[in-house]
């Protein structure tokens, strides 16, 4: 049983922002900032790695369209678009989704920080490893 499938099927109520044949967008119940929205496919895929190309492409298109609408209409100067893939990356609902988190200031609820470590990585080797 998946809570986002239940939302897509209307078994659990949501604050719906957008819907089409393939996907649904609704407010995250735990609003990180005002307008924090989730975009999901109606069909169940555990994460983005499991999702087919066509669905990912559609989700990306809708996510961008909504990010524009949300930032314009809620007067947010920017937004973060996030996807967590698997538990290690913070995914808690195992149904692929994109977060759209409008940003209003540096102290607005989201702490997103890159902390590069200073390992002497062999960059050429990393490229080789990635490409198999
Ligand atoms: P993630 O940690 O990337 O898997 O994000 C899952 C998100 O789903 C969290 O931010 C939750 O607040 C949100 N969430 C869980 N249940 C619901 C629900 N019933 N309606 C709306 N948002 C939900
Ligand atoms: Zn699901």
């Amino acid at each position: 049983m998946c809570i986002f499938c239940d939302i897509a099927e209307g078994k659990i109520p949501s604050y719906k922002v957008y819907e089409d044949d393939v996907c649904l967008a609704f407010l995250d119940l735990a609003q990180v900032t005002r307008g924090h929205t989730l975009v999901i496919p109606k069909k169940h895929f555990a994460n983005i790695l499991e999702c087919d190309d066509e669905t990912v492409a559609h989700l990306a298109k809708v996510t961008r369209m909504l990010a524009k609408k949300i930032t314009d209409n809620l007067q947010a100067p920017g937004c973060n678009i996030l996807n967590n893939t698997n538990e290690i990356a913070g995914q808690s609902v195992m149904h692929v989704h994109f977060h759209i988190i409008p940003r209003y200031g540096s102290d607005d609820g989201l702490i997103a920080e890159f902390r590069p470590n200073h390992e002497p990585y062999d960059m050429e080797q990393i490229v080789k490893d990635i490409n198999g």
Side-chain angles (χ1 to χ4, degrees), residues 30-42:
Q31 294 275 285
V32 166
T33 63
R34 185 170 185 270
H36 178 184
T37 297
L38 301 174
V39 186
I40 68 165
K42 288 183 170 174

Side-chain angles (χ1 to χ4, degrees), residues 1-6 8-9 40-46 93-96:
M1 200 69 286
C2 166
I3 193 165
F4 284 0
C5 282
D6 284 349
E9 288 166 27
I40 68 165
K42 288 183 170 174
K43 196 173 160 195
H44 182 88
F45 299 95
V93 177
M94 295 298 149
H95 180 129
V96 61

Side-chain angles (χ1 to χ4, degrees), residues 18-25 39-43 58-59 62:
Y18 172 85
E19 181 175 18
D20 62 29
D21 289 348
V22 177
C23 71
L24 176 71
V39 186
I40 68 165
K42 288 183 170 174
K43 196 173 160 195
H58 186 77
L59 283 178
V62 168

Side-chain angles (χ1 to χ4, degrees), residues 38-41 45-51 56 59 63 80-86 89-93 95-101:
L38 301 174
V39 186
I40 68 165
F45 299 95
N47 59 46
I48 195 170
L49 305 178
E50 304 281 328
C51 198
V56 172
L59 283 178
T63 298
N80 288 89
I81 296 172
L82 301 175
N83 166 258
N84 298 325
T85 300
N86 288 336
Q91 185 178 3
S92 60
V93 177
H95 180 129
V96 61
H97 53 279
F98 289 110
H99 294 257
I100 302 170
I101 304 175

